[in-house]
Amino acid sequence: MKFVMLPKVWEEPAEELEAAGHERVESVDDADFLFFSGGAGDLPELPKNIRFVQTTYAGMDGLAEAGLLTDAVRWANAGGLYADTVAESTLALMLGAGHLYKFATARASWSTQDEAQEKTDFLFHDKTVAIVGAGGIGRRLIELLEPFGVRVVAVNRSGRDVAGADEVTTFDELGEVWGRADYVVLLAPLTEETRGLVGKKELEAMKDSAFLVNAGRGGLVDTDALVEALRGGAIAGAALDVTAPEPLPDDHPLWGLENCLITPHVANTIPMMHALTGRLAVDNARAFEAGEKMPTEVDPKAGY
């Protein structure tokens, strides 16, 4: 098949697609499928010759919010492709929050030792971790958490078993999870159902010793409610790779909170995307040509 890459050409994936027998063309009007690496504003009007779109992101919320994620064309995302990198980053956020790295570096003083002695939290010490959105990344995180001996509560839509989890529950039953978890880890996609999933009520239901970790989407959390909870001690701390708004303005109060560790949406990075997406695009194209469902095919109505 012929493919076009927009808004920019990614050489590594292009080489893999060409090695698999596909031909790169310059115009969307000449292509059978689009390898798309941009945001909603970069998506061109899709001519009828485009049979499917391969995006380089796992999240489809930006396209959905712009009204571009329609069933006029088939879509494939990068769901699960970045499980290793995002799970590693999520574990780092958990450890950084529990070990008070932001607190110590913000103070830039050895005088933090006494308080850190009292408040440092160890995953090894009888902890329960709730993973909200226990898909591919969540399953990989469970594997990384295994040596720590934590109790894992996996939360998904279906309630189906999740390998390595001690128990599985659904989003509908989240109400009883907030108060049991020492770490609430958000890895869910952003949909109409999950937007604002964590607000004032949920934060107040959490333990005052608990940590909120978000490596999913910023819109899962009510940011104003989180600021209030962190300032008032409703929870011990937060660690965020994603925020709402995003980018987070330099003068936003979250930056100044000693109990809020923030990384700038780098749980996965563009160099890793370049390295990994070619093989996925090849696999999806092969399935499409065979008349099969693509490995990461997206349901436009569900948004993922």
Side-chain angles (χ1 to χ4, degrees), residues 77-102:
N77 66 0
L81 186 63
Y82 312 126
D84 287 340
T85 52
V86 179
E88 176 182 325
S89 297
T90 303
L91 178 58
L93 288 169
M94 295 173 67
L95 293 170
H99 288 262
L100 308 184
Y101 291 162
K102 174 67 177 293

Side-chain angles (χ1 to χ4, degrees), residues 6-285:
L6 295 173
K8 295 181 179 180
V9 174
W10 285 13
E11 293 297 342
E12 290 176 77
E15 290 172 4
E16 290 196 59
L17 282 163
E18 289 171 335
H22 303 289
E23 177 187 352
R24 183 168 71 85
V25 296
E26 299 298 326
S27 172
V28 70
D29 294 313
D30 298 326
D32 297 305
F33 69 94
L34 167 62
F35 182 99
F36 183 63
S37 59
D42 302 308
L43 187 72
E45 184 173 348
L46 298 176
K48 291 184 178 180
N49 51 282
I50 293 295
R51 300 164 68 191
F52 79 91
V53 179
Q54 170 70 67
T55 73
T56 58
Y57 299 94
M60 303 293 284
D61 45 284
L63 294 173
E65 289 171 8
L68 300 173
L69 188 63
T70 71
D71 57 10
V73 66
R74 288 169 68 181
W75 301 83
N77 66 0
L81 186 63
Y82 312 126
D84 287 340
T85 52
V86 179
E88 176 182 325
S89 297
T90 303
L91 178 58
L93 288 169
M94 295 173 67
L95 293 170
H99 288 262
L100 308 184
Y101 291 162
K102 174 67 177 293
F103 166 68
T105 54
R107 294 272 181 101
S109 170
W110 199 264
S111 66
T112 57
Q113 186 188 54
D114 287 346
E115 192 169 344
Q117 288 277 3
E118 295 297 322
K119 294 183 178 180
T120 294
D121 191 78
F122 290 90
L123 281 176
F124 276 112
H125 187 59
D126 190 28
K127 293 297 184 295
T128 295
V129 177
I131 299 177
V132 182
I137 295 168
R139 291 191 294 271
R140 186 69 180 104
L141 178 60
I142 291 170
E143 294 174 354
L144 296 183
L145 286 170
E146 195 275 333
F148 294 92
V150 299
R151 178 174 179 78
V152 174
V153 180
V155 183
N156 58 28
R157 291 184 67 199
S158 65
R160 287 195 295 266
D161 287 345
V162 175
D166 295 283
E167 63 178 283
V168 179
T169 190
T170 66
F171 281 85
D172 292 337
E173 298 167 327
L174 256 173
E176 65 88 25
V177 174
W178 303 117
R180 292 200 288 127
D182 299 291
Y183 288 79
V184 173
V185 179
L186 304 179
L187 295 172
L190 183 62
T191 66
E192 288 305 310
E193 290 74 25
T194 62
R195 185 178 301 277
L197 181 69
V198 179
K200 180 180 176 65
K201 180 179 70 173
E202 290 75 22
L203 290 162
E204 290 179 346
M206 290 171 62
K207 299 178 181 180
D208 61 10
S209 58
F211 295 89
L212 179 71
V213 179
N214 190 3
R217 285 291 182 266
L220 298 172
V221 179
D222 180 332
T223 301
D224 291 341
L226 179 60
V227 170
E228 181 182 345
L230 291 170
R231 282 175 170 168
I235 61 174
L240 313 172
D241 184 60
V242 289
T243 60
E246 192 173 300
L248 191 67
D250 290 351
D251 61 352
H252 195 279
L254 280 175
W255 288 112
L257 296 175
E258 295 179 339
N259 56 350
C260 187
L261 176 64
I262 303 172
T263 53
H265 206 149
V266 290
N268 187 63
T269 61
I270 290 175
M272 290 304 300
M273 294 167 71
H274 281 241
L276 296 173
T277 49
R279 176 49 50 190
L280 176 67
V282 168
D283 290 344
N284 278 326

